[in-house]
Amino acid sequence: MSRVALLVTHTGRRRSTEHARTVAADLMEAGFEVRVVADEAEDLDLPGIVPVDGDTPADGAEIVFALGGDGTFLRAADLARPAKAPLLGINLGKVGFLAEAEINDLDQAVRDVVDRAYTVDERLTLDVRAEFDGGPTIESWALNEVSVEKGERAQMLELRVDVDGRPLSRYGCDGVVCATPTGSTAYAFSAGGPVVWPEVEALLLVPISAHALFSRPLVTAPTSTFSITVDPFTTLAVLCCDGRRVYDLPPGARVTVQRGAVPVRIVRLRPRPFTDRLVAKFALPVAGWRGNRG
């Protein structure tokens, strides 16, 4: 029975395409059927790859490769999650916080996959539902974060936040971020939220530039539910999931965020403490900001 891998990359970048061709060729030599999304097959221009259409290109795949930055990884997660296929990120971008391996590890990563020398972690996700009068219900999901933000730059957004059915606070703000531990190093981090180790099961709520005396980031139980109501007399708002899926929200809209029913399965090639990943990705000065004064 043939082994199957789905390959996802940024075909608009020549360097990414070249590395994707190398990975595809190595996998096919090892006996894999290598799939690519049909729209990207022509750009890869590699004999033997299998173009796939539809919403579930990862169905039946043993693994999904994401070659690129965090944006490519999140796009690949969108394809891997419905099929519950493990997802391996190879960083070809700048930070690549979600990736498991760097470009220098590419050949070894492929060998590990061929040898099945890897483990799989399950990462908590978010399910989101938005409802408003006169419009269809919006349902989506996120691996990193869900944000509700102002739709007009010049105006402040008025939001009310409830946690577990109880009112928490009303904010005049640029928006709020609801994040997972995986997303704690992304948008929530930039908005002033804490870094949460990925093994911790929790949800984060981080106001963005709130004009309020109490605007601290919050960490809740993974079973909590956030409800964000756009004030009926405020400006238009925007719902954004992982920076990829964006929806307009009229005044009065209500957004509900809770733990996702389906996790994302992420490949781990070798045990590595999360502390080491933080130090490497953020270039933290372990010797001190002024150097080791000995």
Side-chain angles (χ1 to χ4, degrees), residues 23-51:
V23 170
D26 290 347
L27 288 172
M28 286 190 289
E29 185 177 348
F32 275 77
E33 173 190 304
V34 178
R35 300 175 184 172
V36 295
V37 177
D39 292 344
E40 301 172 356
E42 184 177 347
D43 293 329
L44 285 177
D45 190 27
L46 183 66
I49 59 174
V50 179

Side-chain angles (χ1 to χ4, degrees), residues 267-292:
V267 169
R268 289 292 172 233
L269 298 177
R270 285 167 185 78
R272 185 186 187 191
F274 183 67
T275 305
D276 292 352
R277 182 180 293 270
L278 276 180
V279 169
K281 296 297 186 180
F282 287 150
L284 299 181
V286 294
W289 295 102
R290 294 179 294 171
N292 190 344

